[in-house]
Amino acid sequence: MATVCQIWRPDRGRCLKSYGIIAVLFMDLMLQCVNGSLSTTNVETHYTRDGPFITSPVVPDASSVFPADEDTSKCPSGGLCHRLPAHCIQCDYHLKCTYGKPTLFTCRPKKGVHCIGESGHQQTNFSLNITCQFCWQLDPSQYRCTNSTNCMTVSCPRKRYNATCDVLDHVHCLGKRRFPKRLFCNWTGGYKWSTALALSITLGGFGADRFYLGQWREGLGKLFSFGGLGIWTLIDVLLIGVGYVGPVDGSLYI
């Protein structure tokens, strides 16, 4: 019997080692699942017959859903309630609405602002039809963003910059009306493409096109080499014509 035990004991060790590896892998998988569930956002999207339905099992912070109080001194009084600017009213927004669908929200004018309904009587509460979407999901025509003049617009790949955007007064949306966004560099320093191309064709051999675009080193090179004996001039005509060569400050042509 002792001999039998000595023969089978190594097999038992290998079996226990295999079981231990499986147990460790199983525990690691469970921990990854738990961490994944904890790191997901609180907003869930359900799909219904009418489209995606946004819900939130955890009540979000009021400051992240409701716009902060703003100065109401410039708000008009005595007009129709549903025509008041967004910063002049306070609405009871909620996230239980279908994205992109019009939804009725209960609103009221802020303190010091008076408005009337369609009947001509003063109202303290009214319903407003608002599209269910956050402010950062609006069409770009419905908000204005800061423009950066410190990034290169003519580059490959195209560069982006961090902008701060504000929603227009007459547009209503959920969430904060001021939000950050990364936009493509898109600004101009006043250089005209037609002028640069005309200079390149007529006076390109003397570097006039490069001087106009602010590239004085290349301009001097073309001036003293007579446009690279015509070869550099021809190449610049093609490069400026297709927009590959632009202003030295990185801006766009107008």
Side-chain angles (χ1 to χ4, degrees):
M1 291 298 294
T3 304
V4 174
C5 292
Q6 290 178 358
I7 294 175
W8 287 98
R9 190 173 299 155
D11 296 337
R12 293 176 184 175
R14 283 195 291 268
C15 292
L16 291 175
K17 185 177 180 180
S18 301
Y19 290 145
I21 293 174
I22 294 174
V24 170
L25 292 176
F26 180 76
M27 291 177 63
D28 181 66
L29 179 62
M30 293 297 295
L31 288 175
Q32 290 180 3
C33 294
V34 172
N35 292 332
S37 63
L38 292 177
S39 61
T40 54
T41 56
N42 293 327
V43 178
E44 298 180 356
T45 304
H46 302 280
Y47 291 87
T48 62
R49 184 177 301 174
D50 298 328
F53 186 76
I54 303 174
T55 61
S56 177
V58 179
V59 178
D61 185 12
S63 61
S64 63
V65 178
F66 305 109
D69 292 336
E70 301 180 17
D71 184 18
T72 59
S73 59
K74 297 182 180 180
C75 294
S77 292
L80 294 175
C81 293
H82 66 273
R83 291 187 178 181
L84 285 174
H87 69 274
C88 299
I89 61 177
Q90 182 71 49
C91 297
D92 297 330
Y93 294 112
H94 57 80
L95 301 180
K96 294 183 179 180
C97 57
T98 303
Y99 171 75
K101 299 292 184 180
T103 306
L104 284 177
F105 295 96
T106 302
C107 304
R108 56 190 176 276
K110 291 185 177 180
K111 186 178 180 180
V113 181
H114 305 281
C115 63
I116 59 175
E118 297 290 346
S119 60
H121 298 289
Q122 183 174 344
Q123 287 185 330
T124 56
N125 291 282
F126 60 95
S127 297
L128 191 62
N129 201 4
I130 301 174
T131 302
C132 179
Q133 60 183 350
F134 289 99
C135 295
W136 58 270
Q137 296 174 318
L138 292 171
D139 187 85
S141 62
Q142 296 179 316
Y143 56 81
R144 296 290 181 266
C145 300
T146 57
N147 201 355
S148 175
T149 58
N150 297 322
C151 60
M152 299 288 291
T153 57
V154 182
S155 63
C156 185
R158 293 183 63 188
K159 292 186 178 181
R160 296 174 181 262
Y161 69 97
N162 296 322
T164 301
C165 305
D166 293 286
V167 182
L168 299 181
D169 290 339
H170 66 280
V171 179
H172 300 274
C173 55
L174 279 66
K176 295 183 178 181
R177 300 183 62 80
R178 171 171 290 183
F179 53 90
K181 200 161 191 176
R182 286 187 59 80
L183 302 175
F184 285 111
C185 298
N186 185 19
W187 66 283
T188 178
Y191 296 92
K192 293 184 177 180
W193 173 81
S194 58
T195 301
L197 183 60
L199 289 175
S200 183
I201 295 174
T202 57
L203 300 174
F206 302 99
D209 50 354
R210 293 284 185 166
F211 284 122
Y212 172 74
L213 296 176
Q215 303 175 8
W216 60 271
R217 293 183 181 87
E218 292 82 353
L220 290 176
K222 292 183 69 176
L223 177 62
F224 291 110
S225 65
F226 298 103
L229 299 179
I231 299 176
W232 193 349
T233 302
L234 179 61
I235 293 175
D236 270 359
V237 170
L238 296 176
L239 295 180
I240 294 176
V242 300
Y244 185 82
V245 173
V248 69
D249 57 5
S251 62
L252 293 175
Y253 289 114
I254 58 175

